[in-house]
Amino acid sequence: MKKIIVFALITFTSVSYIYAQAQVGNTAEPNPAIQEEFKNAPAGYVFHEGDTIALDRNCAQYLTGEKPSTWVFDVPHLIARVGSKRFPNGIMVAGIISWAGPEYLMIKSQPVAEPAPVAVVEPEPEPVVEPEPVVVVEPEPVVVVEPEPQPVVEPEPEPVVESEPEPLAQAFDRFTIGVRGGAASLMQDLGEFGKGKIGFDALLDLQYAHYWLTKRENYVGVLTGASVGYARNSLSGKCVTEYDAPTVDGTLHYAISSDMESLTMGQVQVEVPLFFTLITKGGFFLNVGPKVMLPVYSHFKQTLNKVDITASLPKEGATMVNELITGRLVNDQKDLSGKWKNADVHIMLAAELGYEFALKSGNSFGIGVYGGYSVWNNYKNKAEIPSFIDIVPPTETSDAVVTATPVSDVHMNKLGYFDVGIKLAYHFNFKK
């Protein structure tokens, strides 16, 4: 008991001295006693607050980045805190007030206490008890009754039912919503005054079709419906006209020239098709046949540029250019717009060709191309004005009167229509 008390006093005195030295500091001289007393912590060792440790000389910097001073090595220190939010595995060393990594800490080795001698107590000998004689009883014989064999009944195989493919519908109806757009032209013929340019059209299709199944598993039917859309194209041309006009002062010779800077012509139209339609087993479709195209509203916008009106009296040798008395076009007359007389009806031959994608809902989506050409229309133009700039010669009391006329009214000899483009359609299929 006295030895234990003496050992505790020595240990307490040493710890107090080490703690005091850790708080005051020490020199950087290696201390063999510290090197012998402190060893690297074993793998997996968990440090706790209050543990006595020493800093390994291999520690080049703290976790905060500072370089340790030489005095901190070979000096006992106490652990002030273990882990923080910033350094979860760090060790706060008291006296240094710095965070160090656990891999650079040496822990004080603990003396190994010798185990106390264990007193060996020899057991007292147990009294020997003579065993009683064992009476052997022979078991009665067991009669084994073998069960009668049961007949083996083999299960009958279940019949294999082969799933038959769903039969194709003998007929079905379809409602289609589609859009299409592409190149188009009204195919105006202006004769020597100009020519038309390719424009565009865009339409919404609402169609209904009825189909029958053929022996080759294709579907054929008839298709009708209505399409509403807009078509437009432009023209370019030039007017160079000469003619004589009698006046009270003699015969005036007129020379008229003008560039048609632009002429745009468009129409809102309705189309009613009556097509033969085919859907092949592979998903391709073809719609072909006639359709009626009805222009419901037609408009134009015309702009004239570089207009010159030259009037001359050959006998007197007088020449006048853009004079009010002999003829001059004002600015308001250079820009014209409004309605124009189109054909009332067009008969067209048209076709649509493409591919359909079957959807899980039973409907389908189609993509393809279309084209149409007007083979007949009732357009008539009886105008016989030599120029789209008309002049009433001057009189004794009035100047010349100049009017600008739309080219579509005076020089369009005939009219047609064609279009070609891409079509997208969604089909609602109603099978019977």
Side-chain angles (χ1 to χ4, degrees), residues 2-3 11 27 42 51 70 81 95 147 150 166 196 314 337 345 426:
K2 291 181 180 181
K3 291 182 179 181
T11 302
T27 63
D51 286 354
T70 57
R81 184 179 175 185
Q150 299 294 330
E166 183 179 352
S337 61
V345 61
Y426 188 89

Side-chain angles (χ1 to χ4, degrees), residues 28 32 195 252 258 311 389 405:
K195 58 183 180 179
L252 275 176
S258 175
I389 298 175
T405 307

Side-chain angles (χ1 to χ4, degrees), residues 5-16:
I5 295 173
V6 172
F7 178 76
L9 291 174
I10 294 173
T11 302
F12 176 77
T13 304
S14 300
V15 172
S16 301

Side-chain angles (χ1 to χ4, degrees), residues 9-348:
L9 291 174
I10 294 173
T11 302
F12 176 77
T13 304
S14 300
V15 172
S16 301
Y17 174 77
I18 290 170
Y19 178 75
Q21 291 295 326
Q23 300 301 320
V24 176
N26 205 334
T27 63
E29 296 297 328
N31 190 336
I34 296 299
Q35 295 292 330
E36 180 67 24
E37 187 177 5
F38 288 83
K39 303 296 181 180
N40 290 333
Y45 182 80
V46 179
F47 291 94
H48 298 87
E49 295 182 8
D51 286 354
T52 302
I53 53 93
L55 198 65
D56 193 339
R57 284 182 172 271
N58 292 324
C59 181
Q61 64 180 15
Y62 299 119
L63 295 181
T64 52
E66 295 88 357
K67 184 178 180 181
S69 302
T70 57
W71 67 268
V72 303
F73 299 109
D74 292 332
V75 175
H77 302 281
L78 295 178
I79 294 178
R81 184 179 175 185
V82 177
S84 67
K85 184 175 181 181
R86 184 180 177 188
F87 305 112
N89 298 323
I91 304 298
M92 170 63 77
V93 183
I96 304 175
I97 314 301
S98 294
W99 290 93
E103 67 272 16
Y104 296 114
L105 301 184
M106 298 187 298
I107 190 167
K108 185 176 182 181
S109 58
Q110 301 295 330
V112 181
E114 294 183 1
V118 180
V120 179
V121 180
E122 294 184 358
E124 296 181 359
E126 296 181 359
V128 178
V129 179
E130 294 289 337
E132 297 181 357
V134 179
V135 178
V136 179
V137 179
E138 294 183 3
E140 296 182 0
V142 179
V143 179
V144 179
V145 180
E146 296 182 359
E148 295 182 1
Q150 299 294 330
V152 179
V153 180
E154 296 182 357
E156 296 182 0
E158 297 182 359
V160 178
V161 180
E162 296 182 358
S163 59
E164 297 182 358
E166 183 179 352
L168 297 175
Q170 296 300 312
F172 73 94
D173 297 319
R174 162 180 287 182
F175 177 73
T176 298
I177 299 178
V179 292
R180 54 189 169 98
S185 175
L186 298 175
M187 300 178 63
Q188 301 95 331
D189 182 5
L190 301 180
E192 63 182 8
F193 290 98
K195 58 183 180 179
K197 299 179 181 179
I198 299 296
F200 71 90
D201 68 351
L203 297 101
L204 171 67
D205 295 334
L206 302 175
Q207 298 173 338
Y208 168 80
H210 181 78
Y211 289 92
W212 297 271
L213 181 65
T214 66
K215 294 182 179 180
R216 296 186 178 182
E217 297 185 353
N218 298 324
Y219 283 99
V220 295
V222 292
L223 181 149
T224 187
S227 302
V228 181
Y230 178 78
R232 189 182 78 178
N233 75 308
S234 61
L235 299 91
S236 63
K238 187 173 184 180
C239 171
V240 178
T241 304
E242 295 187 17
Y243 64 94
D244 294 331
T247 68
V248 294
D249 296 326
T251 301
L252 275 176
H253 180 76
Y254 279 101
I256 304 171
S257 66
S258 175
D259 290 338
M260 186 169 56
E261 182 176 349
S262 66
L263 174 59
T264 301
M265 305 177 70
Q267 65 184 23
V268 177
Q269 61 195 44
V270 175
E271 299 177 3
V272 179
L274 183 59
F275 287 164
F276 163 80
T277 177
L278 166 70
I279 303 175
T280 68
K281 185 178 180 180
F284 293 94
F285 71 86
L286 171 66
N287 305 326
V288 61
K291 63 181 175 181
V292 178
M293 191 261 281
L294 305 172
V296 296
Y297 175 77
S298 302
H299 69 96
F300 79 95
K301 183 176 181 181
Q302 173 179 299
T303 301
L304 303 180
N305 190 25
K306 298 179 181 179
V307 179
D308 289 321
I309 300 176
T310 302
S312 61
L313 291 169
K315 291 183 178 181
E316 288 77 4
T319 300
M320 293 156 284
V321 181
N322 296 330
E323 295 292 337
L324 182 62
I325 189 172
T326 55
R328 182 175 65 189
L329 195 69
V330 299
N331 290 332
D332 292 344
Q333 295 174 311
K334 294 180 181 180
D335 295 321
L336 300 176
S337 61
K339 296 181 181 180
W340 64 284
K341 180 60 178 177
N342 195 352
D344 295 326
V345 61
H346 289 257
I347 303 298
M348 301 182 63

